Amino acid sequence: MSNDSDSREYVIDVHELNKHFGDKHVVNNVSLRVARGQIFGFLGPNGSGKTTCIRLMCGLLTPDSGTGTCLGYDIRRDSAQIKRNVGYMTQRFSYWEDLTIRENLDFVARIYQMRNRRETVDKSLEALGLQSRANQMTGSLSGGWKQRLALAACMLHEPRLLLLDEPTAGVDPTARRDFWEELHRLAARGISVLVSTHYMDEAERCHKLAYIAYGKLLAQGTSKEVIESQDLATWSIQGEHLSELSEKLRATPGVDQTVVFGAALHASGRDHAALERAIRQATAGTTLRMEPIETGLEDVFIYLMSHSKDNFGAQT
Ligand SMILES: Nc1ncnc2c1ncn2[C@@H]1O[C@H](COP(=O)(O)OP(=O)(O)OP(=O)(O)O)[C@@H](O)[C@H]1O
Ligand SMILES: [Mg+2]
């Protein structure tokens, strides 16, 4: 392990960031590190402060307090350098619908005052498989192609770090899979990625994850570390009348959470022995099938979200 204080190892290294909007504490003491070449997933419910954190980290917003670097540049002082070296894909699609793909990319190349614009745009069209649609009006593209254009545009100036804010929201599963394959290709070339998402399958494709709720970072690490951090035991129960069972279990000590996953009910709890007792009691004399299973990322995220509400109160 490298020296912890060596920020060159980290493309993002921020400490105790705080941001208020009015009297709302939107980012609350957030510290976070992203290593070079890593795909870092940023998860949390709506309004939890993901976008605001991203904007703080790339110097678009100034924190009320806290310090940090992005690509070694100070997030408070060096926002111009950060912008030159970071590709930021905003949460909402922000290209011209009445320009073609090529025209949109050319427009971005002009903003960055790039030389060899034609060549750069051609290269980018090719890299992301957009040539066949280069002259198509952007407004007529499907969600997946729009996201591909947005990625091409934020890669045009060859950034070393990508900040992607829900890049695949509303995109179909095949296009999402292609998009993630592209992200892994970029990471293999040493480009670091911080990506916010609400999709569990995407979370599992990240090297590291952070979960934020109500402005507070509640867990950070690999998927395995995040799961282990909450020390939840989980049982899966299958059979009839699961929603009744769910309600019954929820009112039983030892059961901290129940969630229906397709044909199975997951019941989780921190007190492993009490959870098992509760489940055996509730299912005694029935034909229900139950077994202990490994707690999944989704179980943990649901737990973190409800747990954070209990602790901090809903403050959306
Ligand atoms: N410019 C602003 N002025 C006032 N309040 C803001 C501003 N930007 C964000 N907020 C508030 O800050 C909180 C966090 O918002 P943010 O957009 O960072 O959350 P998010 O995690 O990105 O949510 P989502 O998943 O919906 O994108 C919300 O309550 C939001 O209403
Ligand atoms: Mg957001």
Side-chain angles (χ1 to χ4, degrees), residues 13-18 29-33 65-69:
D13 190 5
V14 295
H15 300 275
E16 299 184 4
L17 295 185
N18 283 285
N29 263 330
V30 167
S31 301
L32 186 141
R33 278 177 165 168
S65 64
T67 56
T69 58

Side-chain angles (χ1 to χ4, degrees), residues 237-300:
I237 305 156
Q238 294 196 33
E240 305 275 299
H241 309 302
L242 290 180
S243 66
E244 282 160 38
L245 177 70
S246 170
E247 270 177 38
K248 183 170 160 193
L249 280 174
R250 233 180 258 192
T252 312
V255 182
D256 293 326
Q257 161 175 307
T258 59
V259 187
V260 178
F261 280 86
L265 179 73
H266 286 194
S268 304
R270 278 208 147 161
D271 183 338
H272 299 196
L275 176 71
E276 179 167 356
R277 262 197 312 277
I279 287 172
R280 293 207 184 281
Q281 265 167 25
T283 56
T286 69
T287 56
L288 292 164
R289 299 179 303 283
M290 74 274 190
E291 55 173 348
I293 58 167
E294 281 191 18
T295 301
L297 206 49
E298 192 155 11
D299 299 304
V300 169

Side-chain angles (χ1 to χ4, degrees), residues 52-264:
T52 308
C53 271
I54 291 174
R55 293 167 68 83
L56 289 172
M57 291 185 288
C58 65
L60 283 171
L61 271 179
T62 309
D64 300 336
S65 64
T67 56
T69 58
C70 180
L71 293 169
Y73 300 114
D74 188 295
I75 57 166
R76 288 169 174 276
R77 287 195 321 258
D78 306 329
S79 71
Q81 283 98 320
I82 294 175
K83 278 177 212 156
R84 265 199 290 280
N85 290 287
V86 165
Y88 175 35
M89 192 194 285
T90 55
Q91 188 165 359
R92 314 228 179 292
F93 186 74
S94 49
Y95 297 91
W96 304 98
E97 304 252 324
D98 52 358
L99 293 184
T100 65
I101 290 189
R102 175 184 292 284
E103 287 165 343
N104 263 307
L105 289 175
D106 188 66
F107 182 80
V108 174
R110 279 173 203 262
I111 292 176
Y112 283 104
Q113 298 175 331
M114 299 178 108
R115 277 166 279 147
N116 312 325
R117 275 203 330 266
R118 171 100 207 171
E119 199 186 317
T120 307
V121 168
D122 277 337
K123 237 171 64 188
S124 152
L125 286 167
E126 191 190 325
L128 285 144
L130 287 163
Q131 298 117 308
S132 61
R133 295 178 185 252
N135 299 317
Q136 192 168 331
M137 245 2 138
T138 301
S140 69
L141 295 171
S142 69
W145 285 100
K146 278 186 182 163
Q147 291 316 82
R148 210 177 279 206
L149 163 61
L151 183 63
C154 78
M155 290 290 300
L156 214 52
H157 60 301
E158 301 187 353
R160 288 179 282 146
L161 168 66
L162 292 175
L163 302 175
L164 310 177
D165 200 356
E166 293 187 36
T168 57
V171 173
D172 73 45
T174 314
R176 291 204 292 119
R177 191 198 54 208
D178 292 348
F179 191 89
W180 273 82
E181 279 175 10
E182 184 60 35
L183 291 191
H184 277 276
R185 273 194 291 276
L186 294 172
R189 276 169 42 199
I191 294 171
S192 316
V193 181
L194 181 127
V195 52
S196 73
T197 177
H198 289 288
Y199 295 110
M200 279 312 118
D201 58 322
E202 298 190 347
E204 287 178 357
R205 297 182 119 194
C206 296
H207 301 118
K208 285 226 167 141
L209 298 168
Y211 188 88
I212 186 171
Y214 306 105
K216 288 198 176 185
L217 211 84
L218 301 182
Q220 187 175 175
T222 61
S223 163
K224 189 163 175 275
E225 286 164 352
V226 168
I227 291 171
E228 286 171 359
S229 71
Q230 301 306 307
D231 193 25
L232 285 175
T234 300
W235 285 66
S236 168
I237 305 156
Q238 294 196 33
E240 305 275 299
H241 309 302
L242 290 180
S243 66
E244 282 160 38
L245 177 70
S246 170
E247 270 177 38
K248 183 170 160 193
L249 280 174
R250 233 180 258 192
T252 312
V255 182
D256 293 326
Q257 161 175 307
T258 59
V259 187
V260 178
F261 280 86

